[in-house]
mmCIF file of all heavy atoms in Angstrom:
data_model
loop_
_atom_site.group_PDB
_atom_site.id
_atom_site.type_symbol
_atom_site.label_atom_id
_atom_site.label_comp_id
_atom_site.label_asym_id
_atom_site.label_seq_id
_atom_site.Cartn_x
_atom_site.Cartn_y
_atom_site.Cartn_z
ATOM 1 N N GLN H 143 27.773 5.159 23.704
ATOM 2 C CA GLN H 143 26.318 5.154 23.748
ATOM 3 C C GLN H 143 25.795 3.769 23.390
ATOM 4 O O GLN H 143 26.202 3.173 22.398
ATOM 5 C CB GLN H 143 25.762 6.191 22.745
ATOM 6 C CG GLN H 143 24.246 6.318 22.813
ATOM 7 C CD GLN H 143 23.740 7.375 21.852
ATOM 8 O OE1 GLN H 143 24.525 7.989 21.145
ATOM 9 N NE2 GLN H 143 22.446 7.566 21.817
ATOM 10 N N LYS H 144 24.938 3.238 24.216
ATOM 11 C CA LYS H 144 24.369 1.908 23.975
ATOM 12 C C LYS H 144 23.271 2.004 22.931
ATOM 13 O O LYS H 144 22.475 2.935 22.920
ATOM 14 C CB LYS H 144 23.811 1.341 25.271
ATOM 15 C CG LYS H 144 24.871 1.087 26.331
ATOM 16 C CD LYS H 144 24.235 0.480 27.590
ATOM 17 C CE LYS H 144 25.291 0.209 28.646
ATOM 18 N NZ LYS H 144 24.683 -0.356 29.870
ATOM 19 N N ASN H 145 23.290 1.030 22.035
ATOM 20 C CA ASN H 145 22.258 0.972 21.006
ATOM 21 C C ASN H 145 20.955 0.420 21.597
ATOM 22 O O ASN H 145 20.920 -0.735 22.043
ATOM 23 C CB ASN H 145 22.702 0.077 19.842
ATOM 24 C CG ASN H 145 23.891 0.696 19.085
ATOM 25 O OD1 ASN H 145 23.967 1.913 18.978
ATOM 26 N ND2 ASN H 145 24.767 -0.148 18.586
ATOM 27 N N VAL H 146 19.985 1.272 21.635
ATOM 28 C CA VAL H 146 18.675 0.875 22.181
ATOM 29 C C VAL H 146 17.777 0.526 20.999
ATOM 30 O O VAL H 146 17.490 1.378 20.155
ATOM 31 C CB VAL H 146 18.058 1.996 23.027
ATOM 32 C CG1 VAL H 146 16.702 1.548 23.559
ATOM 33 C CG2 VAL H 146 19.005 2.401 24.149
ATOM 34 N N GLU H 147 17.383 -0.719 20.908
ATOM 35 C CA GLU H 147 16.519 -1.148 19.818
ATOM 36 C C GLU H 147 15.101 -0.664 20.049
ATOM 37 O O GLU H 147 14.526 -0.900 21.120
ATOM 38 C CB GLU H 147 16.530 -2.682 19.709
ATOM 39 C CG GLU H 147 17.894 -3.244 19.303
ATOM 40 C CD GLU H 147 17.836 -4.734 19.120
ATOM 41 O OE1 GLU H 147 16.737 -5.308 19.337
ATOM 42 O OE2 GLU H 147 18.878 -5.306 18.752
ATOM 43 N N LYS H 148 14.585 0.021 19.054
ATOM 44 C CA LYS H 148 13.214 0.515 19.143
ATOM 45 C C LYS H 148 12.258 -0.630 18.848
ATOM 46 O O LYS H 148 12.444 -1.364 17.881
ATOM 47 C CB LYS H 148 12.999 1.655 18.149
ATOM 48 C CG LYS H 148 13.825 2.899 18.465
ATOM 49 C CD LYS H 148 13.524 3.988 17.455
ATOM 50 C CE LYS H 148 14.316 5.258 17.744
ATOM 51 N NZ LYS H 148 14.046 6.329 16.779
ATOM 52 N N PRO H 149 11.258 -0.772 19.673
ATOM 53 C CA PRO H 149 10.302 -1.861 19.410
ATOM 54 C C PRO H 149 9.538 -1.580 18.125
ATOM 55 O O PRO H 149 9.093 -0.461 17.865
ATOM 56 C CB PRO H 149 9.370 -1.819 20.632
ATOM 57 C CG PRO H 149 9.501 -0.418 21.154
ATOM 58 C CD PRO H 149 10.914 0.004 20.847
ATOM 59 N N GLU H 150 9.405 -2.617 17.305
ATOM 60 C CA GLU H 150 8.677 -2.454 16.038
ATOM 61 C C GLU H 150 7.193 -2.321 16.320
ATOM 62 O O GLU H 150 6.635 -2.996 17.207
ATOM 63 C CB GLU H 150 8.895 -3.677 15.157
ATOM 64 C CG GLU H 150 10.333 -3.821 14.678
ATOM 65 C CD GLU H 150 10.505 -4.986 13.735
ATOM 66 O OE1 GLU H 150 9.494 -5.676 13.471
ATOM 67 O OE2 GLU H 150 11.634 -5.206 13.286
ATOM 68 N N PRO H 151 6.541 -1.391 15.615
ATOM 69 C CA PRO H 151 5.088 -1.225 15.826
ATOM 70 C C PRO H 151 4.344 -2.487 15.452
ATOM 71 O O PRO H 151 4.612 -3.109 14.427
ATOM 72 C CB PRO H 151 4.737 -0.050 14.889
ATOM 73 C CG PRO H 151 5.821 -0.025 13.875
ATOM 74 C CD PRO H 151 7.069 -0.507 14.555
ATOM 75 N N GLN H 152 3.433 -2.875 16.300
ATOM 76 C CA GLN H 152 2.671 -4.086 16.057
ATOM 77 C C GLN H 152 1.635 -3.842 14.964
ATOM 78 O O GLN H 152 0.868 -2.880 15.007
ATOM 79 C CB GLN H 152 1.974 -4.536 17.336
ATOM 80 C CG GLN H 152 2.934 -4.979 18.430
ATOM 81 C CD GLN H 152 2.207 -5.468 19.671
ATOM 82 O OE1 GLN H 152 0.984 -5.365 19.746
ATOM 83 N NE2 GLN H 152 2.953 -6.014 20.600
ATOM 84 N N LYS H 153 1.679 -4.712 13.976
ATOM 85 C CA LYS H 153 0.747 -4.622 12.867
ATOM 86 C C LYS H 153 -0.528 -5.384 13.200
ATOM 87 O O LYS H 153 -0.482 -6.475 13.762
ATOM 88 C CB LYS H 153 1.357 -5.167 11.584
ATOM 89 C CG LYS H 153 2.564 -4.393 11.107
ATOM 90 C CD LYS H 153 3.092 -5.000 9.822
ATOM 91 C CE LYS H 153 4.317 -4.232 9.331
ATOM 92 N NZ LYS H 153 4.881 -4.836 8.082
ATOM 93 N N GLU H 154 -1.633 -4.786 12.824
ATOM 94 C CA GLU H 154 -2.902 -5.470 13.066
ATOM 95 C C GLU H 154 -2.997 -6.677 12.124
ATOM 96 O O GLU H 154 -2.669 -6.581 10.952
ATOM 97 C CB GLU H 154 -4.082 -4.523 12.781
ATOM 98 C CG GLU H 154 -4.136 -3.357 13.765
ATOM 99 C CD GLU H 154 -5.356 -2.502 13.513
ATOM 100 O OE1 GLU H 154 -6.131 -2.828 12.586
ATOM 101 O OE2 GLU H 154 -5.523 -1.501 14.239
ATOM 102 N N PRO H 155 -3.452 -7.813 12.634
ATOM 103 C CA PRO H 155 -3.560 -8.998 11.779
ATOM 104 C C PRO H 155 -4.558 -8.769 10.654
ATOM 105 O O PRO H 155 -5.641 -8.212 10.849
ATOM 106 C CB PRO H 155 -4.059 -10.082 12.744
ATOM 107 C CG PRO H 155 -4.684 -9.344 13.888
ATOM 108 C CD PRO H 155 -3.934 -8.053 14.007
ATOM 109 N N LEU H 156 -4.153 -9.180 9.462
ATOM 110 C CA LEU H 156 -5.004 -8.990 8.293
ATOM 111 C C LEU H 156 -6.194 -9.954 8.351
ATOM 112 O O LEU H 156 -6.034 -11.134 8.673
ATOM 113 C CB LEU H 156 -4.205 -9.230 7.009
ATOM 114 C CG LEU H 156 -3.070 -8.247 6.740
ATOM 115 C CD1 LEU H 156 -2.295 -8.682 5.496
ATOM 116 C CD2 LEU H 156 -3.608 -6.836 6.531
ATOM 117 N N LYS H 157 -7.349 -9.430 8.068
ATOM 118 C CA LYS H 157 -8.523 -10.276 8.027
ATOM 119 C C LYS H 157 -8.485 -11.146 6.784
ATOM 120 O O LYS H 157 -8.173 -10.651 5.693
ATOM 121 C CB LYS H 157 -9.790 -9.412 8.025
ATOM 122 C CG LYS H 157 -9.994 -8.630 9.292
ATOM 123 C CD LYS H 157 -11.301 -7.850 9.229
ATOM 124 C CE LYS H 157 -11.508 -7.062 10.531
ATOM 125 N NZ LYS H 157 -12.758 -6.291 10.487
ATOM 126 N N PRO H 158 -8.786 -12.459 6.918
ATOM 127 C CA PRO H 158 -8.744 -13.332 5.744
ATOM 128 C C PRO H 158 -9.786 -12.914 4.726
ATOM 129 O O PRO H 158 -10.923 -12.562 5.061
ATOM 130 C CB PRO H 158 -9.050 -14.719 6.309
ATOM 131 C CG PRO H 158 -9.751 -14.450 7.622
ATOM 132 C CD PRO H 158 -9.198 -13.164 8.129
ATOM 133 N N ALA H 159 -9.374 -12.941 3.451
ATOM 134 C CA ALA H 159 -10.304 -12.579 2.386
ATOM 135 C C ALA H 159 -11.393 -13.648 2.257
ATOM 136 O O ALA H 159 -11.150 -14.832 2.442
ATOM 137 C CB ALA H 159 -9.548 -12.433 1.069
ATOM 138 N N LYS H 160 -12.593 -13.220 1.935
ATOM 139 C CA LYS H 160 -13.705 -14.145 1.794
ATOM 140 C C LYS H 160 -13.500 -15.005 0.557
ATOM 141 O O LYS H 160 -13.061 -14.527 -0.485
ATOM 142 C CB LYS H 160 -15.023 -13.366 1.696
ATOM 143 C CG LYS H 160 -15.455 -12.764 3.009
ATOM 144 C CD LYS H 160 -16.790 -12.060 2.861
ATOM 145 C CE LYS H 160 -17.205 -11.411 4.185
ATOM 146 N NZ LYS H 160 -18.490 -10.676 4.042
ATOM 147 N N LYS H 161 -13.846 -16.298 0.710
ATOM 148 C CA LYS H 161 -13.735 -17.226 -0.406
ATOM 149 C C LYS H 161 -15.074 -17.407 -1.085
ATOM 150 O O LYS H 161 -16.114 -17.023 -0.528
ATOM 151 C CB LYS H 161 -13.259 -18.586 0.127
ATOM 152 C CG LYS H 161 -11.951 -18.531 0.906
ATOM 153 C CD LYS H 161 -11.640 -19.901 1.486
ATOM 154 C CE LYS H 161 -10.410 -19.844 2.383
ATOM 155 N NZ LYS H 161 -10.146 -21.162 3.018
ATOM 156 N N ARG H 162 -15.039 -17.967 -2.287
ATOM 157 C CA ARG H 162 -16.281 -18.295 -2.974
ATOM 158 C C ARG H 162 -16.770 -19.632 -2.460
ATOM 159 O O ARG H 162 -16.041 -20.611 -2.380
ATOM 160 C CB ARG H 162 -16.057 -18.377 -4.487
ATOM 161 C CG ARG H 162 -15.986 -17.005 -5.152
ATOM 162 C CD ARG H 162 -16.251 -17.134 -6.644
ATOM 163 N NE ARG H 162 -17.534 -17.725 -6.881
ATOM 164 C CZ ARG H 162 -17.719 -18.911 -7.475
ATOM 165 N NH1 ARG H 162 -16.707 -19.644 -7.845
ATOM 166 N NH2 ARG H 162 -18.939 -19.388 -7.658
ATOM 167 N N GLY H 163 -18.036 -19.678 -2.079
ATOM 168 C CA GLY H 163 -18.589 -20.909 -1.560
ATOM 169 C C GLY H 163 -19.076 -21.839 -2.662
ATOM 170 O O GLY H 163 -19.294 -21.428 -3.805
ATOM 171 N N SER H 164 -19.229 -23.102 -2.318
ATOM 172 C CA SER H 164 -19.751 -24.108 -3.235
ATOM 173 C C SER H 164 -21.090 -24.614 -2.693
ATOM 174 O O SER H 164 -21.594 -24.131 -1.666
ATOM 175 C CB SER H 164 -18.768 -25.271 -3.354
ATOM 176 O OG SER H 164 -18.616 -25.943 -2.111
ATOM 177 N N TYR H 165 -21.674 -25.622 -3.375
ATOM 178 C CA TYR H 165 -22.939 -26.184 -2.912
ATOM 179 C C TYR H 165 -22.800 -26.763 -1.503
ATOM 180 O O TYR H 165 -23.740 -26.723 -0.703
ATOM 181 C CB TYR H 165 -23.404 -27.281 -3.873
ATOM 182 C CG TYR H 165 -24.027 -26.756 -5.136
ATOM 183 C CD1 TYR H 165 -23.381 -26.880 -6.362
ATOM 184 C CD2 TYR H 165 -25.275 -26.123 -5.113
ATOM 185 C CE1 TYR H 165 -23.960 -26.392 -7.518
ATOM 186 C CE2 TYR H 165 -25.865 -25.630 -6.277
ATOM 187 C CZ TYR H 165 -25.195 -25.779 -7.466
ATOM 188 O OH TYR H 165 -25.771 -25.280 -8.612
ATOM 189 N N LEU H 166 -21.641 -27.328 -1.188
ATOM 190 C CA LEU H 166 -21.428 -27.916 0.132
ATOM 191 C C LEU H 166 -21.526 -26.871 1.228
ATOM 192 O O LEU H 166 -22.237 -27.041 2.221
ATOM 193 C CB LEU H 166 -20.059 -28.602 0.182
ATOM 194 C CG LEU H 166 -19.671 -29.268 1.509
ATOM 195 C CD1 LEU H 166 -20.684 -30.363 1.858
ATOM 196 C CD2 LEU H 166 -18.253 -29.820 1.446
ATOM 197 N N GLN H 167 -20.810 -25.732 1.048
ATOM 198 C CA GLN H 167 -20.859 -24.660 2.069
ATOM 199 C C GLN H 167 -22.251 -24.044 2.118
ATOM 200 O O GLN H 167 -22.734 -23.684 3.202
ATOM 201 C CB GLN H 167 -19.820 -23.581 1.781
ATOM 202 C CG GLN H 167 -18.382 -23.990 2.047
ATOM 203 C CD GLN H 167 -17.766 -24.717 0.897
ATOM 204 O OE1 GLN H 167 -18.108 -24.456 -0.253
ATOM 205 N NE2 GLN H 167 -16.864 -25.643 1.181
ATOM 206 N N LEU H 168 -22.898 -23.941 0.971
ATOM 207 C CA LEU H 168 -24.228 -23.345 0.938
ATOM 208 C C LEU H 168 -25.219 -24.219 1.733
ATOM 209 O O LEU H 168 -26.046 -23.692 2.495
ATOM 210 C CB LEU H 168 -24.697 -23.197 -0.512
ATOM 211 C CG LEU H 168 -26.076 -22.575 -0.725
ATOM 212 C CD1 LEU H 168 -26.110 -21.154 -0.170
ATOM 213 C CD2 LEU H 168 -26.427 -22.556 -2.217
#
Side-chain angles (χ1 to χ4, degrees):
Q143 184 178 1
K144 295 181 180 179
N145 293 326
V146 180
E147 294 184 359
K148 295 181 179 179
E150 294 184 0
Q152 294 182 353
K153 296 181 180 178
E154 294 183 1
L156 296 175
K157 294 182 180 179
K160 288 182 182 178
K161 305 175 186 177
R162 281 200 59 245
S164 64
Y165 282 111
L166 179 61
Q167 288 84 33
L168 182 61

